[in-house]
Coordinates of all heavy atoms in Angstrom, one line a residue:
G169 N 137.9 28.5 84.1 CA 139.3 28.3 84.5 C 140.0 29.7 84.6 O 139.4 30.7 84.7
L170 N 141.3 29.6 84.7 CA 142.2 30.8 84.8 C 142.7 31.1 83.5 O 143.3 30.3 82.8 CB 143.3 30.5 85.8 CG 144.4 31.5 85.9 CD1 143.8 32.8 86.5 CD2 145.5 31.0 86.8
V171 N 142.6 32.4 83.1 CA 143.1 32.9 81.8 C 143.7 34.3 82.0 O 143.3 35.0 82.8 CB 142.0 32.9 80.8 CG1 140.9 33.8 81.1 CG2 142.5 33.1 79.4
Q172 N 144.7 34.6 81.2 CA 145.3 35.9 81.2 C 144.4 36.9 80.5 O 143.6 36.6 79.6 CB 146.6 35.9 80.5 CG 147.7 35.0 81.3 CD 149.1 35.2 80.6 OE1 149.2 35.6 79.5 NE2 150.1 34.8 81.4
P173 N 144.5 38.2 80.8 CA 143.8 39.2 80.1 C 144.1 39.2 78.7 O 145.2 38.9 78.2 CB 144.4 40.5 80.8 CG 144.8 40.1 82.1 CD 145.3 38.7 82.0
G174 N 143.0 39.3 77.9 CA 143.1 39.2 76.4 C 142.9 37.8 75.9 O 142.7 37.6 74.7
G175 N 142.8 36.8 76.8 CA 142.6 35.5 76.4 C 141.2 35.1 76.2 O 140.3 36.0 76.3
S176 N 140.9 33.8 75.9 CA 139.6 33.3 75.5 C 139.2 32.1 76.3 O 140.1 31.3 76.7 CB 139.5 33.0 74.1 OG 139.7 34.2 73.3
L177 N 138.0 31.9 76.6 CA 137.4 30.7 77.2 C 136.1 30.4 76.5 O 135.4 31.4 76.1 CB 137.2 30.8 78.7 CG 138.4 30.8 79.6 CD1 138.0 31.0 81.0 CD2 139.1 29.4 79.5
R178 N 135.7 29.2 76.5 CA 134.4 28.8 76.0 C 133.7 28.0 77.1 O 134.1 26.9 77.4 CB 134.5 27.9 74.7 CG 133.2 27.6 74.0 CD 133.3 26.5 73.1 NE 132.2 26.4 72.1 CZ 131.9 25.4 71.4 NH1 132.6 24.3 71.5 NH2 130.9 25.4 70.6
L179 N 132.6 28.5 77.5 CA 131.8 27.8 78.5 C 130.7 27.0 77.8 O 130.2 27.4 76.8 CB 131.1 28.8 79.5 CG 132.0 29.8 80.2 CD1 131.2 30.6 81.2 CD2 133.1 29.1 80.9
S180 N 130.4 25.8 78.4 CA 129.3 25.0 77.9 C 128.4 24.7 79.0 O 128.7 24.7 80.2 CB 129.9 23.7 77.4 OG 130.8 23.8 76.3
C181 N 127.1 24.5 78.7 CA 126.1 24.1 79.7 C 125.2 23.0 79.0 O 124.5 23.3 78.0 CB 125.2 25.3 80.0 SG 123.8 24.9 81.0
A182 N 125.3 21.8 79.6 CA 124.5 20.7 79.1 C 123.2 20.6 79.9 O 123.3 20.6 81.2 CB 125.3 19.4 79.1
A183 N 122.1 20.5 79.3 CA 120.8 20.5 80.0 C 120.1 19.1 79.8 O 120.1 18.5 78.7 CB 119.9 21.6 79.4
S184 N 119.5 18.6 80.9 CA 118.7 17.4 80.8 C 117.3 17.9 80.5 O 116.9 19.0 80.5 CB 118.8 16.7 82.1 OG 118.2 17.4 83.2
G185 N 116.4 16.9 80.4 CA 115.0 17.2 80.1 C 114.7 17.3 78.7 O 115.6 17.4 77.8
S186 N 113.4 17.4 78.4 CA 112.9 17.5 77.0 C 112.6 18.9 76.6 O 112.6 19.8 77.4 CB 111.7 16.6 76.9 OG 110.6 17.1 77.8
L187 N 112.4 19.0 75.3 CA 112.0 20.3 74.7 C 113.0 21.4 75.0 O 112.6 22.6 75.1 CB 110.6 20.7 75.3 CG 109.4 19.7 75.0 CD1 108.2 20.2 75.6 CD2 109.3 19.5 73.5
F188 N 114.3 21.1 75.0 CA 115.3 22.1 75.2 C 115.1 23.3 74.2 O 115.3 24.4 74.6 CB 116.7 21.5 75.1 CG 117.8 22.4 75.1 CD1 118.4 22.9 76.3 CD2 118.4 22.9 73.9 CE1 119.4 23.7 76.3 CE2 119.4 23.7 73.9 CZ 120.0 24.2 75.1
R189 N 114.8 22.9 73.0 CA 114.8 23.9 71.9 C 113.8 25.0 72.1 O 113.9 26.1 71.5 CB 114.5 23.2 70.6 CG 113.0 22.6 70.5 CD 112.9 21.8 69.2 NE 111.4 21.4 69.1 CZ 110.9 20.4 69.7 NH1 111.6 19.7 70.6 NH2 109.6 20.1 69.5
I190 N 112.8 24.9 73.0 CA 111.7 25.9 73.1 C 112.0 26.9 74.2 O 111.3 27.9 74.3 CB 110.3 25.2 73.3 CG1 110.2 24.7 74.7 CG2 110.0 24.2 72.2 CD1 108.8 24.2 75.0
Y191 N 113.0 26.6 75.0 CA 113.3 27.5 76.1 C 114.4 28.5 75.9 O 115.4 28.2 75.2 CB 113.6 26.6 77.4 CG 112.5 25.7 77.8 CD1 112.7 24.3 77.7 CD2 111.3 26.2 78.2 CE1 111.7 23.5 78.0 CE2 110.2 25.4 78.5 CZ 110.4 24.0 78.4 OH 109.4 23.1 78.7
T192 N 114.2 29.7 76.5 CA 115.3 30.7 76.5 C 116.3 30.2 77.5 O 116.0 29.8 78.6 CB 114.7 32.0 76.9 OG1 113.8 32.5 75.9 CG2 115.8 33.0 77.1
M193 N 117.6 30.3 77.0 CA 118.7 29.9 77.8 C 119.5 31.2 78.1 O 119.6 32.1 77.2 CB 119.6 28.9 77.1 CG 118.9 27.6 76.9 SD 118.3 26.7 78.3 CE 119.9 26.4 79.1
G194 N 120.2 31.2 79.2 CA 121.0 32.4 79.5 C 122.2 32.1 80.3 O 122.3 31.0 80.9
W195 N 123.2 33.0 80.3 CA 124.3 33.0 81.2 C 124.3 34.2 82.1 O 124.0 35.3 81.6 CB 125.6 33.0 80.3 CG 125.9 31.7 79.6 CD1 125.6 31.4 78.3 CD2 126.6 30.6 80.2 NE1 126.0 30.1 78.0 CE2 126.6 29.6 79.2 CE3 127.1 30.3 81.4 CZ2 127.2 28.3 79.4 CZ3 127.6 29.0 81.6 CH2 127.7 28.1 80.6
Y196 N 124.5 34.0 83.3 CA 124.6 35.0 84.3 C 126.0 34.9 85.0 O 126.6 33.9 84.9 CB 123.5 34.9 85.4 CG 122.2 35.2 84.9 CD1 121.5 34.3 84.0 CD2 121.5 36.3 85.3 CE1 120.2 34.6 83.5 CE2 120.2 36.6 84.9 CZ 119.6 35.7 84.0 OH 118.3 36.0 83.6
R197 N 126.4 35.9 85.7 CA 127.6 35.9 86.5 C 127.5 36.6 87.8 O 126.7 37.5 87.9 CB 128.8 36.4 85.7 CG 128.8 37.9 85.4 CD 129.9 38.3 84.4 NE 129.8 39.7 84.1 CZ 130.6 40.2 83.2 NH1 131.5 39.5 82.5 NH2 130.6 41.5 82.9
Q198 N 128.3 36.2 88.8 CA 128.3 36.8 90.0 C 129.8 37.0 90.5 O 130.4 36.0 90.7 CB 127.5 36.1 91.1 CG 127.3 36.8 92.4 CD 126.3 36.2 93.3 OE1 125.8 35.0 93.1 NE2 125.8 37.0 94.2
A199 N 130.2 38.2 90.7 CA 131.5 38.5 91.2 C 131.5 38.6 92.7 O 130.4 38.9 93.3 CB 132.1 39.8 90.5
P200 N 132.6 38.4 93.4 CA 132.6 38.5 94.9 C 132.0 39.9 95.3 O 132.5 41.0 94.8 CB 134.1 38.4 95.2 CG 134.6 37.6 94.1 CD 133.9 38.0 92.9
G201 N 131.1 39.8 96.2 CA 130.5 41.1 96.8 C 129.6 41.8 95.9 O 129.1 42.9 96.2
K202 N 129.2 41.2 94.8 CA 128.3 41.8 93.9 C 127.1 40.9 93.6 O 127.1 39.7 93.9 CB 129.0 42.1 92.5 CG 130.1 43.1 92.6 CD 130.6 43.5 91.3 CE 131.7 44.6 91.3 NZ 132.2 45.0 90.0
Q203 N 126.0 41.6 93.1 CA 124.8 40.8 92.8 C 125.0 40.0 91.5 O 125.8 40.4 90.6 CB 123.6 41.8 92.6 CG 123.2 42.4 93.9 CD 121.9 43.1 93.8 OE1 121.6 43.7 92.7 NE2 121.1 43.2 94.9
R204 N 124.2 39.0 91.3 CA 124.3 38.2 90.1 C 123.7 39.1 89.0 O 122.7 39.8 89.1 CB 123.4 37.0 90.2 CG 123.6 36.0 89.1 CD 122.9 34.7 89.3 NE 123.4 34.0 90.5 CZ 123.1 32.7 90.9 NH1 122.2 32.1 90.1 NH2 123.6 32.2 91.9
E205 N 124.4 39.1 87.8 CA 123.9 39.9 86.7 C 123.8 39.0 85.4 O 124.5 38.1 85.2 CB 124.9 41.1 86.4 CG 126.3 40.6 85.9 CD 127.1 41.8 85.4 OE1 126.6 42.9 85.2 OE2 128.3 41.6 85.1

């Protein structure tokens, strides 16, 4: 969403499939004109 500087947000990611617990999970981001990091 939209937040002011200094504010907070909490992102969630729900996964389907089995054995979720054994896999590495990650968050990446991509800003306009930049590579995903």
Side-chain angles (χ1 to χ4, degrees):
L170 172 64
V171 64
Q172 292 186 342
S176 298
L177 283 175
R178 188 195 196 201
L179 305 184
S180 300
C181 171
S184 66
S186 59
L187 300 177
F188 171 85
R189 68 186 184 281
I190 72 172
Y191 299 116
T192 294
M193 300 297 297
W195 287 97
Y196 290 71
R197 67 186 179 186
Q198 187 167 19
K202 295 187 176 181
Q203 290 189 333
R204 189 173 298 188
E205 68 168 351

